């Protein structure tokens, strides 16, 4: 995660001046992991992709919204997921392994979110599907972006 220092103005470098890399406990990220993270972010910025907020505009007032991770309890919620997905105006958002699991169950998510830094997360995308919007964090590995670009994914 990149955290902003409210007293500093952003500069041109990535991360901009006034920003620092921190983990979920707000501890600084250092060493090889920080270097890899920054390399991934720099690569992402060379692609000229639209921002997350611009891409989310069509879904801002959508209801109901179903969010699926890949917890063991998801299997027991299949009926509920199907019923909610059928409701007019619903949006199904998934992350990681939930994408392929839902597709195998005949349920197409509207949005897939990828946040992890490792290239092996391509396996969670598999073959991207038309009609699924893929949101990939700038910290994700270049291979993930390249995989989605190769398949002309949204």
């Amino acid at each position: 995660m990149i955290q902003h220092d409210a007293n500093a103005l952003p500069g041109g470098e990535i991360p901009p001046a006034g920003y620092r890399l921190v983990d979920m406990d707000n501890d600084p990220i250092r060493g090889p992991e920080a270097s890899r993270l920054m390399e991934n972010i720099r690569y992402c910025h060379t692609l000229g992709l639209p921002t997350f907020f611009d891409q989310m505009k069509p879904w801002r007032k959508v209801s109901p919204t179903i969010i699926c991770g890949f917890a063991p309890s998801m299997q027991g919620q299949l009926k509920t997921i199907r019923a909610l997905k059928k409701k007019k105006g619903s949006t199904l958002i998934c992350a990681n392994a939930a994408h392929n699991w839902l597709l195998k169950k005949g349920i197409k998510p509207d949005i897939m979110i990828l946040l992890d830094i490792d290239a092996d997360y391509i396996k969670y995308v598999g073959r991207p599907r038309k009609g699924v919007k893929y949101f990939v964090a700038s910290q994700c590995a270049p291979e993930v972006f390249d995989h989605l670009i190769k398949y002309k994914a949204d």
Side-chain angles (χ1 to χ4, degrees):
M1 167 163 100
I2 299 178
Q3 184 182 64
H4 180 256
D5 175 355
N7 297 320
L9 296 173
E13 70 278 7
I14 300 170
Y19 288 77
R20 63 190 184 108
L21 295 172
V22 295
D23 64 18
M24 296 302 288
D25 295 320
N26 206 27
D27 295 324
I29 299 173
R30 296 186 175 93
E33 184 181 38
S35 296
R36 192 171 93 196
L37 183 63
M38 292 314 304
E39 286 171 18
N40 291 355
I41 293 170
R42 284 187 186 98
Y43 179 80
C44 174
H45 284 270
T46 68
L47 299 175
L49 300 170
T51 68
F52 174 79
F53 296 105
D54 289 339
Q55 293 293 302
M56 282 302 293
K57 284 178 185 173
W59 288 283
R60 284 191 180 156
K61 295 182 181 177
V62 174
S63 178
T65 299
I66 310 120
I67 302 174
C68 295
F70 194 60
S73 62
M74 205 161 110
Q75 177 67 40
Q77 298 299 318
L78 193 54
K79 274 184 166 178
T80 303
I81 294 167
R82 285 186 198 282
L84 289 171
K85 177 68 175 148
K86 288 179 182 178
K87 288 191 175 192
K88 185 179 179 185
S90 69
T91 298
L92 174 58
I93 301 172
C94 68
N96 298 337
H99 175 266
N100 292 337
W101 185 86
L102 288 163
L103 290 170
K104 285 178 187 172
K105 300 295 182 185
I107 303 169
K108 186 168 82 173
D110 298 294
I111 298 171
M112 181 193 191
I113 297 176
L114 286 158
L115 301 169
D116 294 277
I117 190 172
D118 296 316
D120 66 341
Y121 276 76
I122 289 172
K123 67 185 174 197
Y124 295 133
V125 175
R127 189 176 149 270
R129 301 301 196 278
K130 292 239 183 260
V132 177
K133 192 76 161 170
Y134 294 89
F135 290 99
V136 184
S138 60
Q139 67 194 21
C140 290
E143 294 87 349
V144 174
F145 288 97
D146 294 343
H147 180 76
L148 291 166
I149 290 167
K150 175 180 147 186
Y151 282 98
K152 298 181 172 123
D154 286 338

